[in-house]
Amino acid sequence: MSETVKYLLDESRMPKYWYNLVADLPKPPPPVLHPGTLQPIGPDDLSPLFPMSLIMQEVSAEREIEIPEPVRSIYRQWRPSPLYRARRLEKALDTPARIYYKYEGVSPAGSHKPNTAVAQAFYNKEAGISRISTETGAGQWGSSLAFAGALFGIEVHVFMVRVSYQQKPYRRALMETYGARCVASPSEETASGREVLARRPDHPGSLGIAISEAVEIAAQRDDTNYALGSVLNHVLLHQTVTGLEALAQMEMADDYPDVVVGCAGGGSNFAGIAFPFIGAQLRGGPKVRAVAVEPAACPTLTRGRYAYDFGDTAHLTPLVKMHTLGSTFTAPGFHAGGLRYHGMAPLVSHVEKLGLIEARAYHQTRCFEAGVQFARVEGILPAPESNHAVRAAIDEALRCKEEGVSRAILLNLSGHGHFDMQAYMDYFAGKLSDQNYDEAELAMALAGLPSVAEV
Ligand SMILES: *Cc1c(COP(=O)(O)O)cnc(C)c1O
């Protein structure tokens, strides 16, 4: 192993640090603004919701942030996660491309999300917090935080988007098995939930509403904090453990990716795999194309506006500058529930503006087609979200075939789809359709963006 890679890893080949891309960027990301004053916020403004250690990570420009030993000792249960060469997929596609996938489905919750859930639970425990409230869409984040909460003896209170609460009883059962309390959102337990229900008693819920409920609960009680499973800088930071491992594993494979691919909901698994490679490029290393793939029915990066917006529907969160479809935007129903958020991580949005990444949107049936093709040769059944990355990687490999060139493609297989079999059944029954979002609704949601005079 080269010295650079050796210094990244401990004796069990796990990274010792998370990597902060902000340290290597040519331009710092725009500040986060207070929702009332519209002035940049300070660390104290966030302290009702997060422990100071996470707030300091949120605003840090330090390149390396040490992973605490208690977090590393839990990571070791499934980390380093495997990096596979998809030789049978390459053969099936008859492509000269070298396809590699980093498999995050080996975590106890089945996705990349425990990488940050464990870290967040640790820092909250250290700060004396006994309860964490959060939101979840399809249930991946809720089950990851429930798992982490169980390990650290923290109570976890999950607001689950109502339509998923009804459609995904097994994810809910998993959260409850870990000891979390899970309620359908909008709920009667918060003012923001009651307000939505008064207007529309059968409201199916949205991530924006569930965030409002979870934030409201956390802001009211000293013993309760809030946790978010994507979007924020510290979440992206924790996910870089995947990209750092991949850097070392690619070196062991004696290769280096030309293209790095990840699906993008809030942007955390994409950032996790891509940022360490982008950072290496910015420090003079090889150039990589980093491709973020989103659903065409919720196309934040490709169709959203880069503007200051709220993270939630009730406008309780600070304002962040990001690619957004507007906080009132509700995506049509499609199966990759983890990709339905109206915004994109500010840091992913910023690097897109800097021209360091590419974005692409796909409809769901072509993604499922790719996921099934992948499962039939590689054996692993990807989550509906991960299918977006598989689709893009296959398309890149087919382009290599057309052009007669061999490129190395690395994709983040963010999770398995064992809890999403209904989606696969619908696909096989021909019941999946490619819905488009409502243009008029998007226009209205964008017209409702807060007006912020930028300096
Ligand atoms: C939540 C989730 C995503 C989307 O979230 P990001 O923050 O964009 O990574 C992707 N894949 C899986 C399996 C998920 O659970």
Side-chain angles (χ1 to χ4, degrees), residues 275-422:
F275 281 6
F277 289 95
I278 295 173
Q281 173 188 323
L282 289 170
R283 295 191 306 274
K287 197 167 160 38
V288 285
R289 280 177 53 223
V291 182
V293 193
E294 58 184 12
C298 192
T300 324
L301 270 173
T302 52
R303 294 295 313 277
R305 191 172 297 165
Y306 185 51
Y308 273 100
D309 196 8
F310 295 96
D312 72 324
T313 317
H315 298 174
L316 302 174
T317 69
L319 289 162
V320 292
K321 195 165 183 189
M322 61 181 175
H323 286 79
T324 179
L325 299 167
S327 64
T328 60
F329 179 82
T330 309
F334 58 90
H335 273 294
L339 305 181
R340 291 176 53 107
Y341 188 56
H342 71 270
M344 179 54 60
L347 205 46
V348 171
S349 297
H350 182 60
V351 297
E352 197 275 337
K353 275 290 157 198
L354 293 175
L356 294 169
I357 65 166
E358 298 168 28
R360 195 177 294 177
Y362 283 118
H363 278 297
Q364 65 177 354
T365 48
R366 289 200 64 232
C367 296
F368 272 88
E369 182 196 350
V372 169
Q373 184 174 21
F374 184 89
R376 287 182 182 170
V377 286
E378 296 298 321
I380 293 170
L381 181 103
E385 292 84 3
S386 316
N387 282 344
H388 290 72
V390 175
R391 175 77 266 164
I394 289 179
D395 283 359
E396 287 292 330
L398 293 174
R399 232 181 73 195
C400 288
K401 182 179 171 178
E402 249 169 57
E403 295 170 7
V405 290
S406 173
R407 283 189 281 262
I409 301 164
L410 167 64
L411 79 117
N412 198 358
L413 199 69
S414 52
H416 68 64
H418 298 174
F419 285 91
D420 301 283
M421 295 320 296
Q422 188 61 49

Side-chain angles (χ1 to χ4, degrees), residues 110-113 138-141 144 171 229-231 235-236 239 263-271 337-340 344 382-386 412-416 420:
S111 76
H112 64 290
K113 291 200 172 81
Q140 288 271 22
W141 169 242
S144 300
R171 277 273 168 211
S230 186
V231 180
V235 178
L236 275 49
Q239 291 299 346
C263 66
S268 73
N269 89 86
F270 166 72
L339 305 181
R340 291 176 53 107
M344 179 54 60
E385 292 84 3
S386 316
N412 198 358
L413 199 69
S414 52
H416 68 64
D420 301 283

